[in-house]
Amino acid sequence: MTSVAARPSPETIEGPPRTRLESLTGLRWFAAFGVFFSHVAILLPLPYLNELFVLGTAGVTFFFVLSGYVLTWTFFDRDTAPKFYWRRFARIWPSLLITTVAAVALLVGGQLWPTEGGTSLVWWTVATLLMVQAWFPASFQGDTVPHTVSWSLSCEAFFYAVFPFVVRPIVRRTLRQMVLIAAVLIAISIGTRVWLWLANPQLTAENWFSSDLYYFATHSPISRVSEFVLGIVIAAAVRRGWRSPIGLRTATAITVGYFALLWAWSWSGVWQTALAETANRGSIVVFALLIAAAATNDLAGRRSLLSSRPLVALGQWSYAFYLIHFLVLFPIAKHAFGRQSLYDFPQPTWAHLPYALAGLVVSVLLSWGLYRLYEYPIEKRLRALLRREPKAATPAPGAEPSM
């Protein structure tokens, strides 16, 4: 973002770009893969690798930035908020519904941890289906609920609510203004976590997860919206004509190097929870570079491994994989090793490896089935209810963010 444009041309706003950014779909799989391994680190930890796997929580940050980017990339000025909201509902709610039902069935059937059930379970289910659970930590924390990953959809619902009102002002900014906005958003995202550490030195590894401040900083839609808006700004700049000066290979190397550095840092004995949270927030910069580089690569017509058919397919299944994998991993850990609680942290052992691999295979197969037989067909039917929807607003499978 080094040049300045006075005003966007009409076509910049009126119609969405038609280039399919397949590399971004491929990247979605790696983000979901990271989240999977972050839960392996909790339920089936492995020696030496666990500190690396914990860093997979940053996959949610990637999804939030990507969501803002792709929604802006497919944005067109004549769209209306009700139509936009319906398309987002069609995209994410059906799979949330079926996996929520599955989670409740597993919990009631004793395949997850013991719970008091009753009113608390009803409240959790209602909050989840209304996608408001991230506003009420009690509705998704502790051993009351099994579907722990669904909190991020509550954040996405809030992002979708504000998107029609923030995207137009942003796409009309000059490139220089976009640079300033991006810098402010990054400062807010990282600064929130730094403030939390400095203002609350009493937080320790033992009480961090029981702290309301932790849930605000990690799960609150308010604390995470800066990541989503950063994606909007990057996409607006690319639509304006800016292209990343960093190639995809370089951006990939920066991302890998960043997490390798954090992994090496993990052996220094620094507080592990702080390390994971630093990765979650600090990764916003490297993810922004990676997304911009991948988009630039696709716009230049260059192929990459990320745009290969296998990775694009996995990227299309990534939303289903994200929702399913914990519901697969916990029953495996429960029956194989007697895990009874989300907070029952076992010692790392290589005996967990075959079970973690089995969980991966089962999760991928189930996500393929959910996407092919339910998620995509239902989305098509729901979208068809929008009469006279502009053709350009209907993306190919996998072209829109699923989170």
Side-chain angles (χ1 to χ4, degrees):
M1 299 183 190
T2 56
S3 61
V4 178
R7 300 287 293 177
S9 60
E11 63 269 21
T12 301
I13 299 176
E14 290 300 325
R18 298 182 181 276
T19 302
R20 291 173 56 178
L21 305 179
E22 298 283 29
S23 291
L24 298 185
T25 304
L27 280 172
R28 276 171 43 189
W29 165 249
F30 288 102
F33 200 46
V35 176
F36 171 85
F37 279 112
S38 74
H39 290 137
V40 169
I42 295 175
L43 299 173
L44 298 165
L46 301 173
Y48 307 111
L49 297 174
N50 225 43
E51 291 79 5
L52 176 63
F53 288 174
V54 168
L55 300 177
T57 57
V60 176
T61 298
F62 177 87
F63 279 124
F64 287 163
V65 179
L66 180 68
S67 180
Y69 186 99
V70 179
L71 290 179
T72 305
W73 186 249
T74 57
F75 162 75
F76 60 101
D77 201 47
R78 290 174 295 175
D79 198 11
T80 63
K83 287 184 177 181
F84 169 78
Y85 293 147
W86 180 256
R87 290 197 301 272
R88 301 322 303 155
F89 173 85
R91 181 69 185 96
I92 69 172
W93 198 81
S95 291
L96 174 63
L97 172 63
I98 195 170
T99 53
T100 299
V101 171
V104 172
L106 287 171
L107 184 63
V108 174
Q111 300 306 305
L112 297 169
W113 46 75
T115 179
E116 296 178 0
T119 303
S120 62
L121 181 57
V122 171
W123 157 241
W124 168 80
T125 303
V126 171
T128 299
L129 293 178
L130 293 178
M131 293 187 290
V132 298
Q133 66 273 39
W135 298 96
F136 308 100
S139 68
F140 68 89
Q141 66 178 337
D143 281 356
T144 302
V145 297
H147 206 3
T148 59
V149 301
S150 66
W151 68 268
S152 65
L153 300 186
S154 185
C155 292
E156 287 286 354
F158 175 70
F159 302 161
Y160 298 158
V162 303
F163 177 79
F165 304 100
V166 300
V167 64
R168 288 176 173 85
I170 290 177
V171 299
R172 289 177 169 87
R173 298 305 95 202
T174 66
L175 288 173
R176 182 172 297 170
Q177 290 170 333
M178 291 179 190
V179 170
L180 178 60
I181 294 171
V184 171
L185 291 168
I186 291 171
I188 291 173
S189 181
I190 298 176
T192 299
R193 192 50 54 94
V194 172
W195 164 82
L196 179 63
W197 293 339
L198 296 179
N200 301 276
Q202 73 278 10
L203 290 179
T204 66
E206 286 71 31
N207 64 20
W208 175 262
F209 289 103
S210 62
S211 167
D212 288 340
L213 288 172
Y214 165 78
Y215 282 100
F216 170 78
T218 304
H219 299 90
S220 167
I222 297 297
S223 72
R224 303 304 294 261
V225 70
S226 58
E227 299 162 26
F228 175 76
V229 179
L230 179 62
I232 295 177
V233 173
I234 299 169
V238 175
R239 287 182 60 146
R240 178 64 65 83
W242 174 80
R243 295 295 181 265
S244 172
I246 300 175
L248 180 55
R249 290 183 179 179
T250 301
T252 302
I254 291 173
T255 303
V256 173
Y258 172 77
F259 286 101
L261 181 63
L262 288 177
W263 187 22
W265 181 27
S266 69
W267 294 99
S268 67
V270 175
W271 178 26
Q272 297 303 301
T273 301
L275 173 65
E277 297 305 322
T278 299
N280 217 324
R281 283 303 191 268
S283 62
I284 189 175
V285 178
V286 296
F287 288 154
L289 294 174
L290 182 61
I291 289 170
T296 296
N297 189 78
D298 284 5
L299 289 171
R302 294 188 290 268
R303 299 289 297 174
S304 70
L305 177 64
L306 293 173
S307 60
S308 63
R309 290 184 64 181
L311 274 179
V312 170
L314 288 169
Q316 291 170 355
W317 310 343
S318 62
Y319 176 48
F321 179 84
Y322 177 81
L323 291 176
I324 286 172
H325 76 273
F326 197 88
L327 301 179
V328 172
L329 280 177
F330 193 91
I332 289 176
K334 176 183 176 69
H335 290 285
F337 299 100
R339 304 286 179 264
Q340 295 296 320
S341 168
L342 182 60
Y343 302 102
D344 176 17
F345 301 121
Q347 291 298 314
T349 171
W350 289 114
H352 293 151
L353 180 59
Y355 296 94
L357 293 176
L360 176 62
V361 171
V362 172
S363 297
V364 169
L365 291 175
L366 288 177
S367 63
W368 168 79
L370 181 63
Y371 175 80
R372 288 297 181 189
L373 303 178
Y374 176 81
E375 179 185 313
Y376 183 54
I378 291 294
E379 181 186 0
K380 285 181 61 178
R381 291 187 177 91
L382 290 176
R383 281 176 176 259
L385 298 178
L386 284 179
R387 303 304 180 189
R388 298 190 302 275
E389 182 181 8
K391 185 176 181 180
T394 306
E400 281 196 326
S402 55
M403 287 184 56

